[in-house]
C-alpha cells in the first residue's frame, strides 16, 4: 500500500524548488545592470531523509556564476578605474528569460499533478457515499 | 456472487497498481529539472498479475469448497523509461509524463467505476436499493 499523500508532497516539493529557482532568476534580472554582480544559480537535487531518497526534490545551495565579468568602458562612471573601465554584471537577460519560462512550465506541471492527486483522492472517498 | 467478489478484487488490485504508478509520475515531474535523474515507470498492469505460478490451483475436495482464483496480483516492477537524455543527465520528458498522468487518471476512474458497479450489484442482490 503506497502512501496516498506522497504524490501531493512530491508535487509540493517540486513547486517549492521551482519557486526558489524563479526567485533567483528575478534577482538576477533585477540586478542585470548592477556593477560587479555575479549571476546566482541553483541546482536541484533529490531530497534525502534519514539516509534514504524520498523522491522529493529540493533546491541545492546557491552558487555564483564564475564567468569573467565584462569590462565596460565609461570614464564618467563613479566606479570607473583610472583607465575608464568598470566591472559590469555577467547576467545574460536572454538566459534568465528562458530560465524563468522553463521554471514556470515545470511549476505548472507540478500544479496539474497536485490537482489530479486531489481529484483522485476525492473520487476514492466518493465510494464511501450512500 | 463470488464472481463479483473476484471482479472487485481485480478492480482493487488495479487501483493499487495505478496508485503506485501515480507516485512514479509525480516523482518524475517533481524531478523534471534535477541533474542526473532518470525517469521511472511501472510495468503495465496486465503484465503484473500472475496467471499461473506453476503450483496449480488449490485442490477442491468438496463441491461446496470455493475454487481458488487463477490469478493473483504481483508486486509491480519499476522500470526505467527509455528516451533521450538531456545534457545534464536528466531523462524526464514533461509531455510524456502528462500523457502518463492522463492514463493514470483514466485507469483510476475505471477501477473505481468497476468497484462501484460491483458494490451496486451486491446491494441489488441483497434486495436493497
Amino acid at each position: 500500500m503506497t502512501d496516498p499523500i506522497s504524490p501531493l508532497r512530491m508535487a509540493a516539493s517540486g513547486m517549492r524548488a521551482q519557486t526558489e529557482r524563479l526567485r533567483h532568476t528575478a534577482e538576477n534580472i533585477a540586478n542585470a545592470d548592477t556593477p560587479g554582480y555575479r549571476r546566482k544559480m541553483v541546482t536541484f537535487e533529490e531530497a534525502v531523509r534519514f539516509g534514504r531518497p524520498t523522491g522529493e526534490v529540493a533546491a541545492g545551495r546557491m552558487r555564483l556564476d564564475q564567468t569573467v565579468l565584462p569590462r565596460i568602458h565609461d570614464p564618467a562612471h563613479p566606479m570607473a578605474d583610472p583607465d575608464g573601465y568598470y566591472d559590469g554584471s555577467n547576467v545574460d537577460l536572454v538566459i534568465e528569460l528562458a530560465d524563468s519560462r522553463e521554471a514556470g512550465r515545470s511549476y505548472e506541471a507540478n500544479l496539474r499533478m497536485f490537482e489530479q492527486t486531489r481529484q483522485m483522492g476525492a473520487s476514492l472517498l466518493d465510494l464511501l457515499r450512500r | 456472487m463470488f464472481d463479483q467478489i473476484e471482479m472487485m478484487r481485480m478492480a482493487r488490485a488495479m487501483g493499487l497498481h495505478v496508485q503506485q504508478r501515480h507516485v512514479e509520475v509525480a516523482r518524475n515531474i517533481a524531478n523534471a529539472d534535477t541533474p542526473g535523474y532518470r525517469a521511472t515507470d511501472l510495468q503495465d498492469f496486465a503484465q503484473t498479475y500472475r496467471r499461473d505460478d506453476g503450483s496449480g490451483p488449490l485442490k477442491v475436495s468438496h463441491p461446496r469448497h470455493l475454487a481458488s482464483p487463477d490469478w493473483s496480483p504481483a508486486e509491480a516492477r519499476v522500470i526505467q523509461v527509455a528516451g533521450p537524455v538531456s545534457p545534464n543527465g536528466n531523462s524526464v520528458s514533461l509531455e510524456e509524463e502528462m500523457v502518463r498522468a492522463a492514463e493514470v487518471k483514466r485507469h483510476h476512474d475505471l477501477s473505481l467505476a468497476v468497484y462501484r458497479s460491483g458494490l451496486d450489484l451486491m446491494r441489488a442482490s441483497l434486495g436493497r436499493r
Side-chain angles (χ1 to χ4, degrees):
Chain A
M1 179 75 193
T2 49
D3 181 8
I5 305 295
S6 68
L8 282 182
R9 270 208 305 264
M10 285 172 193
S13 78
M15 286 192 274
R16 212 179 302 123
Q18 298 293 351
T19 309
E20 182 88 4
R21 177 181 175 194
L22 206 54
R23 193 171 63 86
H24 286 297
T25 314
E27 280 177 25
N28 290 342
I29 293 178
N31 285 292
D33 291 324
T34 307
Y37 180 83
R38 287 186 184 279
R39 185 176 161 244
K40 291 176 178 168
M41 301 183 296
V42 281
T43 48
F44 291 163
E45 48 201 39
E46 219 169 333
V48 176
R49 195 172 296 145
F50 302 123
R52 282 203 343 211
T54 54
E56 294 169 31
V57 66
R61 279 178 49 126
M62 188 267 291
R63 287 179 306 148
L64 294 177
D65 192 350
Q66 293 302 330
T67 48
V68 267
L69 299 175
R71 305 275 292 159
I72 298 172
H73 182 66
D74 182 6
H77 197 274
M79 288 178 74
D81 59 6
D83 298 334
Y85 284 96
Y86 70 95
D87 285 341
S89 77
N90 59 2
V91 175
D92 186 345
L93 278 183
V94 178
I95 293 179
E96 299 305 327
L97 280 181
D99 217 27
S100 67
R101 282 277 166 81
E102 201 190 356
R105 201 179 68 128
S106 303
Y107 187 93
E108 269 174 34
N110 278 303
L111 195 61
R112 290 266 309 267
M113 212 55 215
F114 195 86
E115 270 300 307
Q116 182 173 327
T117 311
R118 263 175 16 118
Q119 277 175 14
M120 281 168 63
S123 54
L124 192 62
L125 288 183
D126 230 32
L127 269 186
L128 288 178
R129 292 230 179 110
R130 274 213 314 169
Chain B
M1 178 77 190
F2 291 111
D3 286 346
Q4 276 159 34
I5 292 179
E6 200 52 42
M7 177 179 87
M8 289 169 77
R9 204 162 74 98
M10 190 171 250
R12 183 165 162 268
M14 186 177 184
L16 282 177
H17 175 265
V18 138
Q19 218 169 51
Q20 279 181 41
R21 190 160 185 230
H22 185 60
V23 173
E24 296 300 323
V25 175
R27 180 184 297 137
N28 287 345
I29 291 182
N31 285 291
D33 296 317
T34 310
Y37 180 83
R38 294 304 168 101
T40 53
D41 195 2
L42 278 196
Q43 229 177 13
D44 211 28
F45 176 63
Q47 291 169 6
T48 55
Y49 58 82
R50 286 187 291 261
R51 277 204 192 76
D52 187 9
D53 53 359
S55 58
L58 289 178
K59 287 241 166 59
V60 180
S61 56
H62 192 276
R64 297 188 65 180
H65 281 171
L66 292 178
S68 70
D70 50 359
W71 66 277
S72 62
E75 194 68 19
R77 269 232 316 272
V78 176
I79 51 173
Q80 295 266 335
V81 177
V85 181
S86 63
N88 65 0
N90 188 298
S91 68
V92 178
S93 146
L94 271 188
E95 293 78 13
E96 292 214 357
E97 295 306 326
M98 285 288 125
V99 172
R100 244 170 243 143
E103 255 174 41
V104 162
K105 181 89 173 70
R106 203 165 54 84
H107 285 159
H108 187 254
D109 287 351
L110 174 66
S111 77
L112 281 190
V114 171
Y115 199 85
R116 181 188 295 275
S117 104
L119 281 180
D120 285 350
L121 279 174
M122 283 167 94
R123 203 175 277 126
S125 68
L126 289 174
R128 292 183 199 151
R129 281 253 140 225

